[in-house]
Amino acid sequence: MNILITGAPGSGKGTMSRRIMDTFGITHISSGDLFRQYIKEDTEIGALARHYIDQGLLVPDDVTIEIVKERILCFNEDQGILLDGFPRTSIQAHAFYEIEKKINRPIDVVINLVVDKELLIRRITGRRMCPECSTIYNIYLNPPRVPGVCDNEGRTLFQRPDDTLDALSVRLNQYDIHTEPMLEYYRKRGIVKDIDGSLGVEPVWKEIKELLEKIDGNPRD
Ligand code: ADP
């Protein structure tokens, strides 16, 4: 089963991706995580990506397509892939069409998490992450037991530089300009499933799990 998960920043892609991966044993490929890895390793691509990411802008298509393609082409397991945050523009969707054919892994479903802007802003500007285990908290909606400290690792939580209100406004704008048209491309293929991402984690997860079980034809606990 091959899945694409999409939605505006703060729609819950990361949280749901982790659950899909754990429950269905699917390999998670996140373009945002790939960029953060390149940045952490201090590579040239990392420096280029950081320039765009910190401002809330999308990384140029040619760079993005190249790094995701490289990751996908070295993938040789059977369980399927979960693409998170890629494709994010129409150009990336067209490029991915060629990759899909090459690896013979057509996307079965596009999960589109829909959340209104006001809630997205609260979710993103309140978001804090653990540098060790990547657990995500929210200072308004889901705070850690001790303010600023990870419940699991005891490490100091951090805020992503692109989670500030200024960068977020740019990201939301980029989403409207680039990602909505990308979704249209998949709507024409009839594989987009819109899911209300404003509900709590559990109801959203229930809906996604039921949907994927139907596609997978293999119910789980
Ligand atoms: P979010 O969906 O919350 O923006 P991500 O971790 O998916 O978070 O992405 C963080 C940033 O990485 C984006 O704002 C963008 O700058 C860059 N990025 C991630 N995926 C792509 C992509 N497919 N194309 C261009 N830029 C991307």
Side-chain angles (χ1 to χ4, degrees):
M1 177 168 56
N2 302 305
I3 307 163
L4 197 166
I5 189 163
T6 186
S11 57
K13 290 193 304 285
T15 307
M16 291 305 144
S17 292
R18 218 162 290 152
R19 292 204 176 197
I20 293 170
M21 207 169 42
D22 291 347
T23 306
F24 292 89
I26 289 176
T27 299
H28 180 212
I29 299 178
S30 151
S31 44
D33 285 352
L34 284 173
F35 286 133
R36 281 184 286 276
Q37 189 62 33
Y38 279 100
I39 291 172
K40 210 164 149 190
E41 289 165 0
D42 235 352
T43 61
E44 216 170 292
I45 292 181
L48 179 86
R50 169 178 256 160
H51 171 76
Y52 294 95
I53 292 175
D54 286 357
Q55 298 177 70
L57 295 167
L58 294 187
V59 178
D61 282 327
D62 53 345
V63 179
T64 305
I65 290 164
E66 213 37 55
I67 68 146
V68 179
K69 189 170 159 186
E70 189 185 292
R71 173 71 185 87
I72 293 174
L73 292 183
C74 71
F75 171 86
N76 56 5
E77 294 152 49
D78 286 336
Q79 314 95 307
I81 46 179
L82 168 62
L83 287 172
D84 166 4
F86 177 93
R88 201 178 282 221
T89 66
S90 297
I91 291 175
Q92 292 177 18
H94 285 99
F96 184 67
Y97 178 67
E98 296 303 319
I99 304 174
E100 272 179 308
K101 282 198 295 193
K102 198 165 186 170
I103 59 173
N104 198 18
R105 280 185 188 281
I107 293 289
D108 297 297
V109 63
V110 177
I111 297 173
N112 179 36
L113 295 171
V114 183
V115 178
D116 73 64
K117 288 226 159 102
E118 213 174 292
L119 180 55
L120 291 175
I121 291 171
R122 230 171 355 135
R123 283 184 178 176
I124 289 284
T125 58
R127 179 157 76 178
R128 301 291 183 274
M129 263 174 97
C130 174
E132 187 81 29
C133 65
S134 303
T135 299
I136 297 166
Y137 300 87
N138 186 292
I139 56 172
Y140 312 118
L141 308 165
N142 171 34
R145 284 195 294 274
V146 178
V149 179
C150 177
D151 291 348
N152 309 323
E153 305 290 338
R155 296 281 302 271
T156 302
L157 303 177
F158 73 97
Q159 182 181 37
R160 276 170 39 178
D162 57 340
D163 279 352
T164 60
L165 192 55
D166 280 353
L168 176 62
S169 320
V170 180
R171 283 161 74 195
L172 291 174
N173 193 32
Q174 295 271 295
Y175 180 82
D176 288 342
I177 297 171
H178 297 290
T179 309
E180 284 296 343
M182 174 284 281
L183 265 175
E184 273 315 305
Y185 170 85
Y186 288 106
R187 284 195 201 283
K188 284 192 193 127
R189 273 167 62 171
I191 56 171
V192 176
K193 176 77 183 148
D194 293 311
I195 289 190
D196 181 359
S198 64
L199 310 170
V201 169
E202 295 310 328
V204 175
W205 170 235
K206 185 168 177 281
E207 202 172 327
I208 291 179
K209 186 165 167 268
E210 283 171 5
L211 168 73
L212 297 182
E213 281 171 350
K214 259 190 234 151
I215 294 170
D216 201 25
N218 182 15
R220 287 166 172 83
D221 297 331

